[in-house]
Amino acid sequence: MANQFDRAHLLGASIFAIVAATGAAPAFAQETAPAATPQAETAPQDDPNSTIVVTGFRAALESAVNVKKNAQTIVESVSAEDIGKLPDASIGESIARLPGLTSQRLFGRANSIAIRGASADLSSTTLNGRPQTSTGEQRNVEFDQYPAEVVSRVDVYKTPQANLIHQGLVGTVDIRTIRPLDYGKRLIAVGARGVYADLGKVNADSKDKGYRLTGTYVDQFAGDRIGVALSVAYSDEPYQSKEFEAWGYADTADGNKVIGGIKPFGVSTQLKRLGIQGAVQVQATDTLMLTFDGFYGDFTDKQIKRGVEFPLYWSGASLVPGSTALDGNFIKSGTFTNVEAVVNNHGYERTSTIFSGGFNAKYTGDDGWSASFDFGYSRTDRSELSLESNAGTGAGAGNGATDTLDFVSGSKGTRFTSSQLDYSNPDLMVLTDPLGWGAGAPLGHQEGYYNDRIIDDELKSYQLEFGKEVDSGFLSKVTAGLGYTDRTKSKTPEEYFLNLANGATSLVLPQQYRLSATDLSFIGVGPILSYDPFQLLADGVYVKTLNPSKDVPAKAYSVTERVMSAYLMADIKAAVGSAELTGNVGVLAQNTEQKSRGFVNLAAADLVPTTRGANYWDVLPSMNLSLRFPTDFVIRLSGAREIQRPRFEDMKVSLDYGYNTASGVITGTGGSPTLRPYRAWAADLNFEKYFGTKGYLGLQFFYKKLESYVYRETVPYDYTGLPVTLPPGVTNMVGTITRPVNGQGGKLYGFEVAGTVPFDVITPALEGFGLTGGAGYTKTSIKPGVGASAEDLPDYSRWVANGTLFFEKWGFSARGSVRYRSAFVGQFVGFGGERELRRALAETIVDAQIGYDFQKGSALEGLSVFLQGQNLTDEPFVSVDTGASIQIRNYQSYGRRFMAGFNYRF
């Protein structure tokens, strides 16, 4: 993955030079932006005919500095040229290098963004100011769904204001696309790049090379009163990884810990993505601007995971510890005998289509009055198929050949130094139910499993706003508005057991399906049997048998959320001595109506469709003040009440329960359809020193007092009225339920240092060199439940830092980027499918690139070329059991990625 800039952009100065005509705007739909940094600066006065042309990355940095300087809120920005010149997989890899931000990697690419070290669940994302549906099951947008080439700018708002009606608790990411009339001239640009994953073909039927093609067209007509923009990006790129995963660590009879079981994989992913963005602007009159825009994305992520599961201590295997095995109470080496393995050939296919578009009408009168209307529509349809296929030495537990494995558990997981079986032998490893996991299936066995999760997400948004400029000596404008959003997100599971055709319980894999073996030498196993499970299902080798369990439909849910917003805001502009005070004060009131539909899985009856919900108000005052001194020194003070709506999964109505004979009480799990948002009071204080529009240095302090947050808790629950089968003589209907609840009493606070410093502000001899980046420290503390001990919020990192050292001059550019994220306690999917907490270790990502733009007058003028390397130190993703640094749960190595390409601008 990458988070660096690239001189030789795929769309080049095409869509991304648009930043020259755009600037900082709050993340509400289509708001007017202040002017951005000029693309050329006049040289010193002693040579009036000399001009320093500032273009490319340096111009993009100046534009981002100007956005920050002129903004009324505390904002970080990636200008259009930044993103446009990146041959990255998505904008997420560019946003991750902004001060105070970092990313979470998925198969090596930036998937979600953490603002101020906090979980992505605590931020929101808009496209052109409009709320967006998401490809995942939660609210947070997965940024790899957006190609960088269709984006002109990204603004990250760390503080809210009243008309920012789709705000997040720790920040709001607003993605901006092309506005052709703002660009003001014709443009045609094309580009291409090649990609190489140096981990190679982890699976023989995968690829280690890919490509990306892009194109952009921008033009104006009818005397520059009609503008058209169209951008297209298509990518077909591989991602490879080698992954160790532990089932967990078992307690031995003598009180020690030892590996309980493992499942290492060689993983190959092929990502195909089409992104199309278009916009039409019409200057209908001198005071009325009409804008139509849309984005369409078609995303296919097909993955093959091949590996072998070793049920070790948690099985019939026997443990013989090594002579020097103990590290504290951890058995780090020894021998397992009687090990019965399972060879896995799993396939995952995730497909999604995204549409987002809207209409905006903006009136700006000569008398100080203004008005705007915005309509937005967003829809995501997603299918996520998991296809599991198993092979082993015999049908059922204890019926096949077993192995003897010498093992060593260390900093990269558990590795084996010897084994007796050949796991690539198709006569030994047959398609079957090796350990009898399917004993409860309809046919009494299963040779695999089919699990498809279908997500439908639809959202409509409306916003009407009126404003009037005033001249009171203190206030400069008063704005009022209304907003309404209507969103429904649903999940429908489809689950089947996979059985061999004709009732067979085992089958030697037919010759035509055998592929070259996948090599698991990275854990000491060697080659394993390899085949395509999708092909076996398509050809009828496997047949689907419906899973009749009530647990399956009980996983389904549909959540509808309707939010009505009203706001009033006053802009401030006043002289304070030699300084100028700017900013705004306002209040946003929101009424939320939420309903959740699903099934209650009754212990002794049929599924019962249930609808529950809540209706509540939030009143959110805000203040943003900026004291601007003639010396380009700015002091900012912000205060606000902030909210973030809970995860959709946590709002589901489904309930599954039964009588626990061990504890003697009724126990259940479920969601909470009456769940309230995360709520906090927040304050920010910034000190910023600017060097014109070339650079800045900043120090930021922030504090959030959490009034309400969401965590999972086991609480008493009265099951009276629900059919529960109790033992004779037992009448107590009060049991427990584990579900999300709103906690009280927590805080999140910290500081950030950031800056963009072109070295020519220090000495002209260093013109062309510079540094941009920042570092942030965040501390959190919550008390989940009455009397509970204080603990950190999940998914947050205490330290995040990033920096890019660059040189750009005479058409040549070179950059090196580093991003750091400290360890954090994250939420993972456990062995049984439940959510569990693990500690993800710190990671440092290093990227670099060089490029050249052919200069004006050259025969190749308009051509840019580049070479880029990502994850150059092959930084792994590692997680461990909390409180046990040597108990590795995940160790994922993604390898390095190299890209070379060009862009040509007409």
Side-chain angles (χ1 to χ4, degrees):
M1 92 168 220
N3 65 341
Q4 66 282 343
F5 310 96
D6 192 286
R7 168 88 172 155
H9 44 74
L10 296 179
L11 289 185
S14 58
I15 54 178
F16 311 107
I18 296 169
V19 71
T22 58
F28 57 89
Q30 310 302 323
E31 180 66 11
T32 302
T37 304
Q39 298 300 299
E41 292 192 354
T42 303
Q45 293 300 314
D46 58 336
D47 185 4
N49 296 319
S50 173
T51 300
I52 300 174
V53 179
V54 182
T55 60
F57 179 57
R58 292 168 59 196
L61 285 180
E62 289 190 16
S63 181
V65 170
N66 195 49
V67 167
K68 184 177 182 69
K69 182 178 181 180
N70 291 329
Q72 302 294 354
T73 62
I74 297 174
V75 62
E76 309 292 347
S77 184
V78 178
S79 78
E81 282 194 352
D82 278 356
I83 300 175
K85 291 188 174 182
L86 278 171
D88 286 336
S90 74
I91 60 173
E93 294 165 347
S94 300
I95 302 172
R97 56 179 160 73
L98 289 173
L101 277 71
T102 189
S103 71
Q104 177 61 51
R105 293 188 291 173
L106 176 68
F107 307 121
R109 62 184 187 264
N111 177 258
S112 60
I113 295 298
I115 300 175
R116 286 176 166 167
S119 167
D121 289 336
L122 297 181
S123 60
S124 66
T125 300
T126 57
L127 180 64
N128 293 320
R130 305 180 186 114
Q132 296 300 291
T133 55
S134 58
T135 55
E137 291 189 24
Q138 308 311 327
R139 296 179 185 274
N140 58 288
V141 166
E142 297 176 325
F143 286 96
D144 54 7
Q145 73 189 42
Y146 295 108
E149 296 81 5
V150 303
V151 175
S152 67
R153 191 181 81 242
V154 180
D155 297 325
V156 180
Y157 295 88
K158 294 179 177 177
T159 59
Q161 60 185 33
N163 58 356
L164 188 72
I165 64 176
H166 310 295
Q167 64 176 263
L169 187 77
V170 295
T172 304
V173 179
D174 185 35
I175 303 169
R176 293 276 165 171
T177 58
I178 303 170
R179 292 295 170 260
L181 290 185
D182 294 339
Y183 186 61
K185 55 186 175 181
R186 176 183 291 181
L187 171 74
I188 301 174
V190 295
R193 76 171 184 182
V195 180
Y196 172 67
D198 84 331
L199 209 56
K201 299 180 181 180
V202 173
N203 291 283
D205 53 341
S206 66
K207 300 177 181 179
D208 58 5
K209 300 179 182 66
Y211 65 92
R212 186 169 188 160
L213 304 173
T214 62
T216 293
Y217 170 72
V218 181
D219 210 346
Q220 300 79 34
F221 308 94
D224 291 341
R225 301 187 73 87
I226 299 175
V228 177
L230 178 66
S231 296
V232 181
Y234 179 78
S235 61
D236 186 350
E237 299 180 74
Y239 291 83
Q240 305 282 352
S241 62
K242 295 178 180 179
E243 302 180 1
F244 166 85
E245 183 176 348
W247 286 7
Y249 291 83
D251 295 308
T252 64
D254 52 6
N256 293 317
K257 286 279 190 180
V258 70
I259 184 71
I262 69 167
K263 47 178 182 178
F265 288 102
V267 183
S268 300
T269 301
Q270 196 68 27
L271 175 64
K272 297 181 180 180
R273 181 183 59 202
L274 172 66
I276 303 174
Q277 182 273 328
V280 176
Q281 277 187 295
V282 180
Q283 187 74 59
T285 69
D286 290 342
T287 58
L288 180 62
M289 174 73 80
L290 307 178
T291 304
F292 305 82
D293 63 89
F295 168 76
Y296 172 79
D298 192 311
F299 189 98
T300 300
D301 189 348
K302 189 169 184 177
Q303 184 179 97
I304 290 292
K305 296 180 68 173
R306 296 191 174 104
V308 58
E309 287 192 76
F310 289 118
L312 300 171
Y313 196 83
W314 285 326
S315 70
S318 298
L319 169 65
V320 179
S323 58
T324 58
L326 280 179
D327 183 352
N329 71 331
F330 182 63
I331 301 175
K332 64 180 182 180
S333 65
T335 301
F336 280 103
T337 61
N338 198 36
V339 177
E340 199 169 354
V342 179
V343 169
N344 294 322
N345 280 256
H346 295 341
Y348 300 88
E349 187 168 36
R350 179 180 177 185
T351 60
S352 62
T353 57
I354 309 162
F355 174 77
S356 180
F359 165 74
N360 180 271
K362 184 172 182 62
Y363 168 81
T364 305
D366 297 330
D367 55 358
W369 280 96
S370 62
S372 65
F373 170 76
D374 190 89
F375 167 73
Y377 179 80
S378 180
R379 181 177 180 87
T380 297
D381 297 303
R382 192 200 76 178
S383 171
E384 187 166 344
L385 172 62
S386 171
L387 189 65
E388 298 184 357
S389 170
N390 303 318
T393 59
N399 296 324
T402 60
D403 203 353
T404 297
L405 300 170
D406 298 327
F407 74 94
V408 176
S409 295
S411 60
K412 295 184 178 181
T414 298
R415 303 294 190 263
F416 300 97
T417 57
S418 67
S419 64
Q420 298 176 349
L421 299 183
D422 178 5
Y423 292 101
S424 65
N425 184 350
D427 294 318
L428 176 66
M429 307 306 299
V430 297
L431 304 180
T432 189
D433 183 357
L435 298 180
W437 289 336
L443 301 183
H445 57 91
Q446 69 177 83
E447 290 72 53
Y449 201 73
Y450 179 104
N451 185 354
D452 195 5
R453 294 169 296 283
I454 300 170
I455 300 292
D456 293 315
D457 194 356
E458 184 177 48
L459 187 153
K460 300 173 184 175
S461 65
Y462 308 82
Q463 188 165 351
L464 179 65
E465 182 175 288
F466 298 92
K468 179 66 170 70
E469 294 180 359
V470 296
D471 187 11
S472 68
F474 184 73
L475 299 181
S476 60
K477 186 177 182 180
V478 177
T479 302
L482 296 172
Y484 180 73
T485 60
D486 185 347
R487 183 175 187 177
T488 297
K489 187 158 192 168
S490 65
K491 173 183 176 180
T492 305
E494 293 184 0
E495 298 187 26
Y496 298 86
F497 297 101
L498 293 184
N499 294 110
L500 293 169
N502 303 317
T505 58
S506 64
L507 175 71
V508 174
L509 182 67
Q511 181 69 42
Q512 65 267 32
Y513 298 110
R514 300 176 189 176
L515 303 174
S516 297
T518 294
D519 188 6
L520 296 187
S521 295
F522 68 94
I523 62 152
V525 173
I528 65 168
L529 181 70
S530 300
Y531 54 90
D532 184 351
F534 292 104
Q535 194 63 48
L536 294 186
L537 179 61
D539 291 353
V541 177
Y542 284 132
V543 293
K544 294 191 298 185
T545 303
L546 181 68
N547 185 344
S549 171
K550 292 186 294 181
D551 290 344
V552 176
K555 298 174 184 176
Y557 65 82
S558 176
V559 176
T560 296
E561 190 175 71
R562 298 184 176 97
V563 181
M564 176 68 76
S565 303
Y567 58 89
L568 180 66
M569 185 175 74
D571 290 350
I572 297 171
K573 188 174 184 180
V576 180
S578 63
E580 182 182 54
L581 179 68
T582 64
N584 55 66
V585 293
V587 62
L588 167 65
Q590 293 187 318
N591 175 253
T592 302
E593 179 188 7
Q594 63 190 39
K595 290 184 179 180
S596 178
R597 302 170 183 83
F599 294 101
V600 174
N601 187 3
L602 302 183
D606 293 332
L607 291 171
V608 176
T610 304
T611 299
R612 294 179 59 204
N615 191 301
Y616 55 87
W617 280 89
D618 281 291
V619 178
L620 309 173
S622 62
M623 175 191 72
N624 293 279
L625 300 178
S626 298
L627 189 61
R628 303 173 184 272
F629 293 88
T631 57
D632 266 355
F633 185 73
V634 181
I635 301 176
R636 301 182 191 270
L637 176 64
S638 298
R641 191 166 190 261
E642 303 169 341
I643 65 170
Q644 177 70 47
R645 304 188 189 281
R647 297 158 59 106
F648 282 106
E649 183 184 42
D650 288 342
M651 296 167 65
K652 65 185 179 183
V653 75
S654 61
L655 172 63
D656 192 1
Y657 63 93
Y659 186 77
N660 188 321
T661 56
S663 64
V665 298
I666 308 171
T667 59
T669 60
S672 180
T674 61
L675 206 61
R676 297 301 197 267
Y678 297 81
R679 295 182 173 123
W681 286 97
D684 290 75
L685 177 63
N686 276 25
F687 300 93
E688 300 166 2
K689 168 60 180 175
Y690 290 88
F691 312 108
T693 58
K694 284 187 173 184
Y696 81 101
L697 292 172
L699 176 62
Q700 306 177 12
F701 298 93
F702 58 91
Y703 181 86
K704 297 182 189 295
K705 176 65 176 178
L706 296 169
E707 290 184 316
S708 174
Y709 54 90
V710 179
Y711 66 98
R712 299 188 72 83
E713 184 181 56
T714 300
V715 295
Y717 189 84
D718 189 351
Y719 291 86
T720 301
L722 299 177
V724 182
T725 302
L726 297 176
V730 178
T731 59
N732 184 16
M733 297 297 293
V734 177
T736 63
I737 186 170
T738 301
R739 64 180 181 184
V741 296
N742 288 110
Q744 295 181 351
K747 54 190 175 182
L748 183 152
Y749 59 92
F751 69 89
E752 297 169 0
V753 291
T756 294
V757 182
F759 292 167
D760 59 357
V761 303
I762 303 172
T763 171
L766 293 177
E767 201 265 335
F769 289 93
L771 177 68
T772 182
Y777 173 84
T778 305
K779 187 73 175 66
T780 70
S781 177
I782 60 172
K783 292 184 178 180
V786 178
S789 300
E791 61 183 52
D792 292 337
L793 280 169
D795 297 322
Y796 111 94
S797 289
R798 184 164 297 185
W799 286 98
V800 296
N802 56 71
T804 298
L805 180 66
F806 64 89
F807 172 78
E808 185 175 70
K809 197 173 183 181
W810 308 302
F812 176 79
S813 65
R815 293 169 212 146
S817 298
V818 179
R819 188 181 75 250
Y820 171 79
R821 179 178 189 177
S822 66
F824 64 95
V825 176
Q827 301 183 73
F828 293 78
V829 178
F831 178 59
E834 76 288 350
R835 271 193 284 170
E836 63 180 39
L837 297 179
R838 303 177 195 167
R839 185 169 183 80
L841 301 187
E843 61 181 19
T844 302
I845 313 298
V846 179
D847 312 298
Q849 63 190 29
I850 58 174
Y852 183 75
D853 286 2
F854 288 89
Q855 299 297 285
K856 186 174 182 180
S858 165
L860 296 177
E861 179 185 348
L863 177 66
S864 300
V865 294
F866 70 88
L867 175 65
Q868 181 183 51
Q870 300 176 343
N871 193 27
L872 293 177
T873 59
D874 190 13
E875 184 77 351
F877 174 79
V878 185
S879 72
V880 300
D881 278 339
T882 55
S885 61
I886 58 176
Q887 296 177 18
I888 305 297
R889 294 297 302 273
N890 303 87
Y891 189 97
Q892 301 175 1
S893 176
Y894 306 119
R896 304 167 186 84
R897 292 175 68 80
F898 297 96
M899 285 150 286
F902 75 91
N903 179 81
Y904 190 80
R905 177 185 180 186
F906 298 89

